Amino acid sequence: MGGVRALARISATADGRGGTALPVLESDGPLALRRTRGAADEARVLLVGAMSGPLGGDRFAVEAEVGSGARLGVGSAAATIALPGQVKDAAHYDVRLDVADGGELHWLPEPLISARGSDLYVTTRADLAPGARLVLREEQVLGRAGEEPGRLTSRLVVRVGGRAVLDQELACGPGAPGGWDGPAVLAGHRAVGQLVVVRPEFATYPVGPQHLGEHAALMPLAGPAALVSAVAPDGLRLRRALDEALALLRPR
């Protein structure tokens, strides 16, 4: 069984002075972590791809843990491109996020692009304590410009206090179950994304469902959380829709 194995780990804790420390910032192979300038109370980290990939057979994993009183923002330096490789096995990219009571995580990576001939399984799992906060954006673009997509299977799971508030899976591209490109799913669009916002105050003051433009919708979840789902013809218009939704959900 071939392919590259890579793991990146981040741990954020309150530093006792009103800021956030990063006692763990470890990465290897094609995954590189870099601390960047953040706000006074927030640590910011960029995930930098040091190599192409994930390719067929690769197994990448990123783990982030945010302690009580810590604030962490994580982004990426560029889009991630799933590519075919010499190994015919599917690639796997696993993200695991844990946020303690009083912790806050903004997980805002650049899009994932599914190139022709690739086969990638992406799993993102976020486990939050009841008093944790999360902003999570997920964007997927099917194919580069003028290109048919590869196969992409994506699962997103969010738990608050051990209870699942969201567990959804979407498979697109060659070999995916029929109907993925039909009117009930992507309707011919090539960019799809989700925005999940978790705040304790949503338990008392939940957001209401509403349409956000022609191809985006805001839905309350069964817990202190809200979900925005959007499709668009391309990644630029998808980002614009999700940015507008995030501005709507910011605390007033």
Side-chain angles (χ1 to χ4, degrees), residues 2 6 13 36 56 62 73 80 83-84 89 92 121 123 126 128 161-162 175 185 188 194 208 214 237 252:
T13 60
T36 62
V62 182
T80 298
L83 297 165
D89 296 329
H92 292 261
Y121 286 76
T123 303
L128 286 76
V185 187
Q194 288 75 232
E214 187 178 358
R237 279 177 276 191
R252 297 291 186 247

Side-chain angles (χ1 to χ4, degrees), residues 78-140:
T80 298
I81 305 179
L83 297 165
Q86 295 182 341
V87 177
K88 298 304 181 183
D89 296 329
H92 292 261
Y93 201 130
D94 296 317
V95 176
R96 178 63 185 265
L97 312 173
D98 289 278
V99 188
D101 269 316
E104 184 170 346
L105 172 62
H106 288 215
W107 185 264
L108 302 170
E110 294 302 304
L112 168 64
I113 300 173
S114 174
R116 182 177 181 179
S118 63
D119 188 357
L120 176 64
Y121 286 76
V122 180
T123 303
T124 301
R125 298 178 184 272
D127 284 281
L128 286 76
R133 297 173 181 272
L134 173 71
V135 176
L136 183 153
R137 183 183 67 214
E138 183 179 80
E139 299 169 309
Q140 295 156 357

Side-chain angles (χ1 to χ4, degrees), residues 160-171:
V160 179
R163 178 188 177 190
V165 299
L166 177 66
D167 189 342
Q168 67 177 25
E169 182 173 293
L170 176 65

